Amino acid sequence: MNDDAFSRLVAEEVKNRVSRSQRDFLMLSDNWVRWQRALVALVDNLDRQLDRLSSDEEADKERYESLGDDGVKLLAEAMSDYESRRSKIARFKFHVDKRLDEVSRMIALGVDSSGEDISAHAFLRKAIEKHRELLEEFDLESTPIDIALWDALDGKWSFELIDLEDFLASDE
């Protein structure tokens, strides 16, 4: 399937307008990264639409206000139309963002979230491991809070051992 068709499929899936077989196709683990990229592109597109809508709204507002009394009715109709369009785009974007979070979580955990509930425990474990990996990858210094967080992965609660003075000393 080419990228345009895949992107259309992704948009239709967010709207719940796909068949079971199309949904199953998206749920193949080989498609997850492509699905995520399509969702990111869709979010970017929706953001651009909202920006363009705001620009058009401002231009129309200035144009209709310059007409004086004759433009009042036109301005009211235009503003109502812009608000309706903005609301529809924002509502769709909300659902796209939600789906993007789900797909990103599936990629991070390597688990299909449609058939089983991903536990908060597994999700948080992956997040903490990724946090540690990124600190090491970018050669950033860990704080006592980071270390306590990593200790929690091993079942140790070290947060009460954090001394404010030690934390402040690590900033110097």
Side-chain angles (χ1 to χ4, degrees):
M1 180 180 298
N2 70 31
D3 287 342
D4 288 338
F6 191 84
S7 294
R8 281 191 300 277
L9 176 63
V10 167
E12 291 301 309
E13 191 278 331
V14 171
K15 298 174 193 174
N16 283 328
R17 294 183 183 166
V18 296
S19 67
R20 181 68 194 160
S21 63
Q22 290 170 317
R23 174 103 170 113
D24 289 345
F25 174 73
L26 287 174
M27 294 305 296
L28 294 172
S29 60
D30 291 345
N31 289 330
W32 293 352
V33 172
R34 189 177 184 197
W35 191 2
Q36 182 185 41
R37 280 195 315 262
L39 287 166
V40 168
L42 186 54
V43 167
D44 291 344
N45 179 291
L46 293 169
D47 284 338
R48 283 192 305 277
Q49 285 183 43
L50 288 169
D51 289 344
R52 224 171 322 152
L53 195 64
S54 292
S55 297
D56 292 349
E57 181 179 24
E58 284 301 312
D60 280 355
K61 187 175 181 180
E62 289 177 21
R63 184 177 11 204
Y64 293 138
E65 284 177 346
S66 71
L67 296 175
D69 290 340
D70 294 335
V72 171
K73 183 177 179 188
L74 294 172
L75 177 62
E77 288 175 7
M79 294 302 112
S80 175
D81 182 55
Y82 282 118
E83 185 54 38
S84 174
R85 288 168 45 199
R86 182 182 300 102
S87 176
K88 288 177 183 176
I89 294 169
R91 188 171 41 250
F92 183 57
K93 184 178 179 301
F94 169 81
H95 292 288
V96 173
D97 286 333
K98 185 176 163 187
R99 182 69 78 229
L100 178 58
D101 288 343
E102 292 170 8
V103 172
S104 297
R105 188 171 43 249
M106 287 173 16
I107 292 168
L109 296 175
V111 176
D112 171 0
S113 66
S114 69
E116 59 184 83
D117 187 27
I118 296 176
S119 73
H121 176 266
F123 180 74
L124 294 173
R125 174 172 282 286
K126 280 283 199 179
I128 294 168
E129 289 169 351
K130 185 65 174 181
H131 169 264
R132 185 178 207 167
E133 177 186 316
L134 289 171
L135 277 178
E136 291 170 358
E137 179 181 332
F138 295 112
D139 199 29
L140 297 172
E141 192 170 323
S142 58
T143 67
I145 294 172
D146 295 321
I147 294 166
L149 187 62
W150 301 332
D151 283 349
L153 288 176
D154 298 325
K156 295 187 293 185
W157 188 261
S158 303
F159 290 99
E160 71 274 350
L161 302 176
I162 296 173
D163 183 9
L164 181 59
E165 294 303 317
D166 291 337
F167 182 71
L168 294 175
S170 69
D171 286 344
E172 294 175 359

